[in-house]
Amino acid sequence: MLTDLSFDDNERSGAKRGLLRLVVTCLLASSIASFAVARELKIRDEFRGIPQALSGDLDSLQERHDAILEVLERHHVWVGALGARRELDQLVLSIHQQERVEGDQARRRAAEVNRAREEAEAARVRGFLHAERHQFDLALDQFRRALELSDAVGEQAWSGGIWEHREQLLVDISALETRAEGKR
């Protein structure tokens, strides 16, 4: 009988130790799961807080790219990392495409400005040729055209500020207008 009681005590203490191990394991697993879920939620909220990129806006595309890259550098492993990396790849493509578009636009604008500058110079020269031939009405029209073109391209199109011939054109236009009014 004593051996039976001793056996029951050993069985109960073994069961208690097993139950204690189970409780500790469950608490540990629960703590780890809670930590993991809290971390994922924090990272998800941080990722969702990144401002969306506007289509066609290079600055916003670059800003989102840099912010996503920063999140990925801080948190190497998380549930949304693959989606973030895919979006990062798409942003890189969008940034390159937008840079190409903006470069093309800048080149077109530069070509338009060069064309307008050349036309302004040509109109000024034609105006002088008409004035030499005493075709003052045609000269006045050409000088006005040259002035209009120079003002259309703005100061940034001329190295050093405004067009160096602009002031003289204004004087010539004024003189030709005065001459035209004197003839009437």
Side-chain angles (χ1 to χ4, degrees):
M1 178 125 150
L2 261 125
T3 56
D4 287 341
L5 286 175
S6 171
F7 182 73
D8 286 342
D9 283 344
N10 284 340
E11 196 176 291
R12 273 186 255 163
S13 72
K16 283 182 184 177
R17 272 182 274 168
L19 183 61
L20 183 62
R21 268 193 225 127
L22 179 65
V23 168
V24 169
T25 304
C26 286
L27 283 173
L28 188 60
S30 173
S31 297
I32 291 171
S34 294
F35 173 76
V37 168
R39 180 180 178 274
E40 289 296 321
L41 290 173
K42 178 184 160 266
I43 295 171
R44 186 187 68 184
D45 289 344
E46 184 179 340
F47 186 75
R48 285 184 179 170
I50 297 172
Q52 290 296 318
L54 303 173
S55 179
D57 182 9
L58 185 59
D59 291 335
S60 71
L61 288 168
Q62 190 65 46
E63 184 179 316
R64 182 154 177 91
H65 173 271
D66 294 344
I68 291 174
L69 196 58
E70 184 179 315
V71 169
L72 286 170
E73 285 174 356
R74 274 191 316 224
H75 309 288
H76 298 288
V77 178
W78 54 288
V79 173
L82 261 94
R85 290 191 194 287
R86 263 186 257 121
E87 183 178 349
L88 198 63
D89 292 341
Q90 291 172 349
L91 283 170
V92 167
L93 292 173
S94 296
I95 288 169
H96 288 307
Q97 181 181 10
Q98 189 61 34
E99 286 173 340
R100 189 174 52 248
V101 166
E102 288 183 9
D104 290 346
Q105 289 173 344
R107 282 187 290 281
R108 275 196 300 275
R109 171 71 179 136
E112 288 173 13
V113 165
N114 284 336
R115 183 190 50 76
R117 284 184 3 200
E118 289 171 1
E119 281 185 36
E121 288 287 346
R124 185 179 75 84
V125 170
R126 282 192 306 269
F128 282 128
L129 291 175
H130 288 304
E132 285 177 357
R133 294 181 195 148
H134 300 285
Q135 298 170 330
F136 298 115
D137 290 340
L138 294 174
L140 182 60
D141 289 342
Q142 289 301 313
F143 287 153
R144 284 181 180 154
R145 175 77 177 136
L147 184 63
E148 178 184 312
L149 286 166
S150 76
D151 290 346
V153 294
E155 289 184 22
Q156 73 276 5
W158 309 98
S159 58
I162 63 171
W163 189 26
E164 69 260 14
H165 303 295
R166 187 175 192 284
E167 294 302 319
Q168 184 59 48
L169 263 179
L170 290 172
V171 170
D172 293 341
I173 289 171
S174 176
L176 288 173
E177 286 174 343
T178 303
R179 184 179 188 292
E181 285 180 15
K183 281 198 157 192
R184 289 183 192 170

